[in-house]
Amino acid sequence: MSQKTIQNKNDFVKQEQQMYLAKVAVEKTVYHFDQPFDYLIPDFLLPTAKPGCRVLVPFGTASAKRQGMILATEESKEKPSIKIKPLEAVLDSAPLLSNEGLLLVSWIKEQYFCTLYEAARLLFPIGFQYHIKRFFSLTKRVSEESLPSYSQQEQEIIRLLQQIGKPVEEKELFAVLKGTKNVESVLKELFLKGVLEYKTDSVQKISDATQKMIRLKDPENEEFPFRLTARQKEVVQVLRDAGAASVKEICYYTGVTPAVPDNLVKKEICEFFENPVYRNPYESADQEMENRELILSAEQETAYQHLKSLYDSSKTQSSLLYGITGSGKTSIFLKLIDRVQQDGKGVILMVPEISLTSQMIEIFHRRYGSQVAVFHSGLSMGERMDEWKRVRDGKASIVVGTRSAVFAPLSKIGLIILDEEQEDTYQSEQSPRYHARDIAHFRCAYHHALLLLASATPRIETYYAAQKKRIGFDVLSKRFGTAILPQVEICDMNREFEAGNTTILSSPLLEALKQAFLKGEQAILLLNRRGYNTFASCRACGHVITCPHCSISLTYHRANGRLMCHYCGYSVPFTKECPSCHEEKVHFGGSGTQKAEEQLRNLLPEAKILRLDTDATMSKNAYEIKLNQFRRHEYDLIVGTQMVAKGLDFENVTVVGVLSADQALYCDDFRSYEHTFDLLTQVVGRAGRGNLRGKAFIQTYTPENPILDLAKRQDYPAFYQSEIAIRKAMLYPPFADICVVGFIGKNEQAVKKCSASFLEKLQAIALNEYSELPLRVLSPSPASIPRVSDKYRDKLMIKCRNSKRFREMISRLLILFGKNHEFRGITVFAQINPCYVL
């Protein structure tokens, strides 16, 4: 056979060899550089490199090891370029994402202007996340005779690695060599000399299901070999009094950072220990099962039959269940879920806050037992992983939880419910800035499932769609059973002040509370400001004490004696000396929940008072524990922030009070009236949910505001009619979409220049390439809080139609500004129809 024939045969064999490429979403990329990156699949990885699996890939010019997600695989139609790098490892034995999940990843990127990997990461629990670690080791034995040929620093590293005798993780090596100068350059030199090598490994981040605690090693010892700083002394004193505490509690009550407890442990004055946390906090709830038949009222039955017909149609359907507070929406949920379960399909029920899950979980566990899985951020990483796996493996078919529950890996979905669908907590405030409602729409379309939106105060946009018959509509106009809506009284606090009443309670509310407690009844008070006082100012010069990092006043917390910023966490001990004029005339103003609790104890000395806010519920399960105590009547009165306003169902609560209704009415947001009406209606609805008639009191300094009267009457249809007219006149949703472009950076002038340049580029591209798009653009302006954590914030608002062409235009602009070196260090992002304007 001739040499030419042999060569042709070899070429033919090479052509016959199949080469496969993986399209990979890579972590830690930036939006303007993000895309599915091509990687060659080595033969030995072909059986496991499936779409939906995570992989380890070399990335960038330095081929740094990064994690990625395979989005698709394809056979290469031509010989791959030598520039295409191979996959290094497949991290999953089976795909984490289904075909639905992979489609959802691309959809999320297009809708929310995020990277592909940011979108993919939403679909699996944080405990599945891998960390890429580097391990250093010696490649050869360095003899004692040759050691002098190395520098002193190099000798130190060689001896250390010889002594350890095994690969050392980079973080540990740097910690040991902390005193060595230029550690990285010394390691690099040893690597070039062939003495040192490193390998990368992926380590899964899984919670150990414990809480980090701290205590004194010797509580009796009052003399230490080290001189303690003032902050360290403060921590030691707290531990002497408390015995032990979580690190989180220590940081809150003393105002220190975690570095202070760490240093006390390094000095061997304190020690850390782990407090066990159980993987399934709801395990005991599985034991009491009940399968009682649900008895519905005529109104409930009508709504149920309509929703059942929508579900039975096997088409993608959406419907609004509008029911006044206490009308029995949950009973309809349960009966509808029973129907879906008969078909072997899964259900997702979302509630807006962790605080609302406890009562719902108790109801669901009693009815469905271990078929219920719980998804919310209050669970440990281990608990979240366990629940995710149970759903993925088909051991649980009903998911109850907050926003993240919408991503539950159910293989067949029949029903998704958004309870309190108007709540803004369904929208993520971090990239990807998704809304759970949109994700639910996508998943229901994929599974031909029913999406049920339920609320006593639905979004204006949702109610409008129902009125226009774009979605289904059912109404529950009466409370369930014998319960009726509470009587509501608006209390003018101006008159109270003129009459000499300077307390937080109006006379009618105080009298109603006294009468309720005499009868053994309970009450709930809402004050949507935590802390003791909401600001501190100087009587001499008028200076208001503000956060040095944010455009916001500091709030006084009496529990720890500190002024605190509720945006960045900055805190300082309170002092009467004014930082501006140095006169000792700083005084407090405003009232928070801590001050309200103190005044209530003075006004109602016989009452047992429970405060519920984020400060009082810092520990795990604290909210559920305290609510159960209230249910058992260990407390007479709850005073708290908006976590007490919604979803709570206590039959013995007959009095509800809103201590300050004016806070939300006058903020710089077109939804302010909607948010206020929602909050007031919901909290008023906590009263009189059993056989006893309830009373509610709304305290205000502007009693003439029409929104307060509508909330008093619990008249959502009337509120809707007044609000929809304003929306139409001002061209706000549902008559247009709102796109907010945000600009955030440390240099105020650079941020303003960037926002002005964005407006200029937007005008040019819209005129030349997207002239068919209807747009109204408002000039850039500072955010409602212009500075947070030392970063200035501007916004630009666009009234638009949220179409694919519009998103394409915005995406192009975001990519353009991401590549612009002039605006390096400035974050530019876009969000369509945010719940709150920046």
Side-chain angles (χ1 to χ4, degrees):
M1 190 177 289
S2 68
Q3 183 66 32
K4 184 175 181 180
T5 303
I6 293 173
Q7 183 64 46
N8 288 341
K9 184 177 180 181
N10 288 338
D11 289 344
F12 178 76
V13 171
K14 287 180 181 179
Q15 289 173 7
E16 285 294 300
Q17 290 178 344
Q18 293 178 319
M19 305 293 286
Y20 287 90
L21 296 177
K23 301 284 187 180
V24 179
V26 180
E27 69 172 344
K28 299 177 184 177
T29 59
V30 289
Y31 181 73
H32 67 264
F33 187 66
D34 185 60
Q35 63 180 9
F37 295 95
D38 286 339
Y39 283 90
L40 190 65
I41 305 177
D43 291 343
F44 72 96
L45 290 180
L46 277 173
T48 54
K50 305 294 183 186
C53 287
R54 287 167 303 163
V55 289
L56 194 63
V57 298
F59 189 79
T61 54
S63 290
K65 304 303 180 290
R66 292 196 188 178
Q67 192 178 164
M69 171 72 71
I70 299 179
L71 301 178
T73 58
E74 62 180 30
E75 184 179 351
S76 178
K77 296 178 181 178
E78 55 188 37
K79 185 177 179 181
S81 165
I82 58 172
K83 293 182 179 179
I84 296 182
K85 302 171 184 178
L87 300 178
E88 294 218 349
V90 177
L91 302 177
D92 299 306
S93 57
L96 284 183
L97 302 187
S98 63
N99 181 60
E100 177 199 6
L102 294 169
L103 291 173
L104 184 55
V105 166
S106 299
W107 184 84
I108 289 173
K109 174 182 171 65
E110 193 265 338
Q111 291 283 326
Y112 301 113
F113 312 110
C114 64
T115 69
L116 287 164
Y117 196 82
E118 283 177 332
R121 197 169 52 190
L122 292 172
L123 276 67
F124 51 86
I126 192 171
F128 272 84
Q129 186 71 9
Y130 279 91
H131 288 291
I132 309 304
K133 294 187 176 183
R134 287 204 300 175
F135 293 84
F136 290 89
S137 59
L138 295 172
T139 58
K140 58 185 179 182
R141 183 75 182 174
V142 179
S143 65
E144 288 292 328
E145 292 78 16
S146 62
L147 266 177
S149 63
Y150 298 95
S151 70
Q152 185 177 348
Q153 291 173 317
E154 290 173 341
Q155 290 181 43
E156 183 182 357
I157 292 172
I158 291 171
R159 290 186 187 278
L160 176 63
L161 291 174
Q162 285 178 337
Q163 181 181 353
I164 295 173
K166 63 178 183 180
V168 182
E169 201 262 314
E170 181 178 37
K171 185 178 179 181
E172 296 177 10
L173 185 62
F174 275 56
V176 175
L177 299 171
K178 194 173 182 180
T180 305
K181 295 182 179 179
N182 303 318
V183 178
E184 291 188 19
S185 60
V186 178
L187 290 172
K188 185 177 180 181
E189 189 65 28
L190 286 173
F191 178 79
L192 293 173
K193 290 178 179 180
V195 177
L196 198 65
E197 67 176 0
Y198 74 88
K199 65 175 182 176
T200 57
D201 198 3
S202 53
V203 180
Q204 186 160 307
K205 180 181 178 183
I206 303 178
S207 171
D208 55 5
T210 58
Q211 184 180 30
K212 190 175 184 181
M213 308 286 287
I214 187 171
R215 61 191 172 203
L216 293 170
K217 291 189 78 171
D218 185 2
E220 303 299 324
N221 183 22
E222 296 188 2
E223 295 184 5
F224 303 111
F226 302 96
R227 186 174 181 179
L228 301 184
T229 65
R231 287 180 173 270
Q232 289 172 342
K233 289 178 181 177
E234 194 173 354
V235 171
V236 168
Q237 187 58 50
V238 170
L239 291 176
R240 286 196 193 283
D241 296 337
S246 71
V247 174
K248 186 176 181 180
E249 289 171 327
I250 284 293
C251 292
Y252 172 72
Y253 282 106
T254 62
V256 302
T257 64
V260 177
D262 287 343
N263 287 330
L264 286 171
V265 170
K266 288 176 183 177
K267 292 180 177 180
E268 298 189 346
I269 293 169
C270 297
E271 62 183 1
F272 291 134
F273 67 99
E274 301 294 339
N275 206 27
V277 177
Y278 298 103
R279 297 284 285 221
N280 183 5
Y282 306 103
E283 191 170 12
S284 59
D286 296 344
Q287 316 217 344
E288 297 180 8
M289 293 280 292
E290 61 175 34
N291 292 310
R292 64 181 178 85
E293 184 181 353
L294 293 166
I295 307 298
L296 303 182
S297 67
E299 200 173 42
Q300 287 175 316
E301 184 65 29
T302 300
Y304 166 70
Q305 290 297 336
H306 176 242
L307 292 169
K308 177 177 172 293
S309 69
L310 293 179
Y311 166 74
D312 289 337
S313 69
S314 298
K315 297 178 181 178
T316 303
Q317 302 277 5
S318 298
S319 192
L320 169 63
L321 178 59
Y322 161 62
I324 64 170
T325 55
S327 57
K329 294 184 285 292
T330 303
S331 295
I332 297 177
F333 297 166
L334 294 173
K335 195 155 187 177
L336 204 54
I337 290 169
D338 290 347
R339 174 68 188 88
V340 174
Q341 288 275 285
Q342 289 173 9
D343 290 343
K345 294 183 178 180
V347 176
I348 297 174
L349 169 67
M350 281 180 281
V351 293
E353 297 181 25
I354 297 173
S355 59
L356 302 185
T357 58
S358 58
Q359 288 186 322
M360 197 66 79
I361 289 166
E362 184 179 341
I363 293 169
F364 274 65
H365 270 301
R366 283 204 306 265
R367 190 167 187 84
Y368 304 110
S370 60
Q371 281 297 306
V372 178
V374 182
F375 281 40
H376 63 67
S377 60
L379 303 181
S380 71
M381 284 165 43
E383 289 165 349
R384 280 184 258 182
M385 279 185 60
D386 290 349
E387 294 292 80
W388 189 90
K389 288 177 181 177
R390 286 204 309 122
V391 175
R392 181 195 61 182
D393 298 340
K395 296 178 180 178
S397 58
I398 300 172
V399 177
V400 180
T402 49
R403 183 176 63 221
S404 61
V406 76
F407 297 108
L410 290 164
S411 58
K412 291 191 297 182
I413 297 176
L415 173 67
I416 298 180
I417 303 171
L418 262 76
D419 195 18
E420 307 293 354
E421 68 89 26
Q422 80 285 355
E423 285 297 317
D424 59 343
T425 50
Y426 284 126
Q427 188 165 65
S428 171
E429 295 180 358
Q430 297 176 335
S431 184
R433 294 175 172 84
Y434 71 92
H435 200 294
R437 185 190 305 104
D438 300 334
I439 307 297
H441 270 293
F442 180 97
R443 300 200 70 184
C444 284
Y446 184 89
H447 291 274
H448 301 292
L450 172 63
L451 173 60
L452 177 57
L453 308 171
S455 177
T457 53
R459 285 190 321 147
I460 294 295
E461 296 93 316
T462 304
Y463 198 82
Y464 179 81
Q467 294 294 300
K468 295 296 182 181
K469 301 189 184 307
R470 296 172 186 169
I471 62 174
F473 186 44
D474 292 285
V475 178
L476 301 177
S477 60
K478 302 182 184 70
R479 282 197 158 185
F480 182 75
T482 58
I484 58 176
L485 285 172
Q487 296 175 332
V488 184
E489 180 177 342
I490 295 177
C491 304
D492 186 347
M493 297 305 289
N494 296 298
R495 292 184 179 180
E496 292 288 325
F497 185 78
E498 290 170 1
N501 181 6
T502 58
T503 69
I504 59 169
L505 296 182
S506 61
S507 302
L509 177 54
L510 178 59
E511 182 60 29
L513 290 171
K514 289 178 178 178
Q515 292 300 318
F517 299 153
L518 286 174
K519 298 174 186 176
E521 297 165 2
Q522 294 171 290
I524 294 176
L525 300 180
L526 168 70
L527 178 59
N528 207 17
R529 289 285 180 92
R530 63 189 178 99
Y532 190 84
N533 292 100
T534 54
F535 68 92
S537 62
C538 177
R539 292 184 188 275
C541 68
H543 176 74
V544 176
I545 314 298
T546 58
C547 175
H549 311 292
C550 308
S551 305
I552 198 76
S553 60
L554 295 177
T555 299
Y556 177 61
H557 284 235
R558 190 164 187 173
N560 59 6
R562 304 182 72 84
L563 293 169
M564 300 184 68
C565 175
H566 290 171
Y567 282 82
C568 71
Y570 170 84
S571 74
V572 290
F574 171 73
T575 173
K576 287 190 175 183
E577 182 181 333
C578 173
S580 178
C581 69
H582 302 289
E583 293 283 337
E584 292 195 352
K585 293 188 177 181
V586 172
H587 77 293
F588 301 124
S591 296
T593 49
Q594 291 178 6
K595 183 177 181 181
E597 179 187 20
E598 181 183 276
Q599 284 201 21
L600 287 167
R601 294 191 189 281
N602 294 328
L603 293 168
L604 302 162
E606 302 300 321
K608 292 167 287 187
I609 298 167
L610 171 64
R611 175 168 56 87
L612 281 181
D613 54 27
T614 52
D615 298 327
T617 55
M618 292 173 66
S619 60
K620 187 177 175 65
N621 300 328
Y623 188 86
E624 295 173 27
I625 292 169
K626 291 177 184 294
L627 284 185
N628 285 330
Q629 290 172 334
F630 185 74
R631 183 179 288 107
R632 294 192 298 267
H633 209 152
E634 295 177 23
Y635 293 98
D636 301 306
L637 168 67
I638 294 178
V639 57
T641 53
Q642 64 179 10
M643 63 171 62
V644 306
K646 301 167 187 180
L648 302 184
D649 191 358
F650 299 110
E651 292 188 357
N652 198 43
V653 171
T654 58
V655 177
V656 163
V658 180
L659 301 186
S660 178
D662 303 322
Q663 292 172 352
L665 272 173
Y666 305 106
C667 64
D668 182 23
D669 193 302
F670 74 93
R671 298 186 194 272
S672 61
Y673 277 12
E674 183 179 12
H675 291 145
T676 304
F677 180 86
D678 166 46
L679 184 64
L680 295 179
T681 301
Q682 292 287 347
V683 70
V684 165
R686 298 312 104 203
R689 299 176 73 90
N691 297 322
L692 303 172
R693 181 71 187 270
K695 292 183 179 180
F697 300 85
I698 300 175
Q699 299 184 170
T700 176
Y701 286 96
T702 56
E704 68 280 359
N705 191 298
I707 300 302
L708 301 180
D709 183 60
L710 291 169
K712 171 185 175 179
R713 301 189 337 241
Q714 300 273 284
D715 194 347
Y716 178 84
F719 166 74
Y720 167 79
Q721 290 299 333
S722 66
E723 186 70 9
I724 199 71
I726 296 172
R727 298 282 185 93
K728 187 174 184 178
M730 300 298 293
L731 198 61
Y732 280 123
F735 302 100
D737 294 296
I738 299 292
C739 177
V740 176
V741 183
F743 308 86
I744 301 177
K746 291 187 175 182
N747 185 297
E748 183 178 12
Q749 295 307 313
V751 169
K752 291 188 179 301
K753 184 177 180 180
C754 182
S755 62
S757 178
F758 191 97
L759 174 61
E760 182 182 334
K761 295 289 192 300
L762 170 62
Q763 290 170 330
I765 194 173
L767 183 64
N768 295 325
E769 301 182 49
Y770 297 89
S771 58
E772 80 282 6
L773 295 180
L775 301 175
R776 289 191 184 180
V777 184
L778 306 182
S779 297
S781 61
S784 57
I785 299 178
R787 185 169 60 114
V788 173
S789 299
D790 286 323
K791 292 185 177 180
Y792 293 90
R793 314 189 307 164
D794 266 22
K795 67 177 183 292
L796 181 149
M797 286 181 58
I798 308 168
K799 295 180 181 180
C800 60
R801 185 176 296 127
N802 183 13
S803 64
K804 189 169 185 177
R805 280 278 289 167
F806 175 78
R807 293 192 298 273
E808 175 191 286
M809 179 183 71
I810 295 299
S811 177
R812 286 179 59 185
L813 287 167
L814 293 175
I815 291 170
L816 176 67
F817 274 76
K819 292 178 178 179
N820 191 331
H821 293 291
E822 181 184 1
F823 300 121
R824 181 177 293 175
I826 297 176
T827 300
V828 183
F829 67 90
Q831 188 173 11
I832 298 177
N833 293 327
C835 292
Y836 286 95
V837 176
L838 184 69

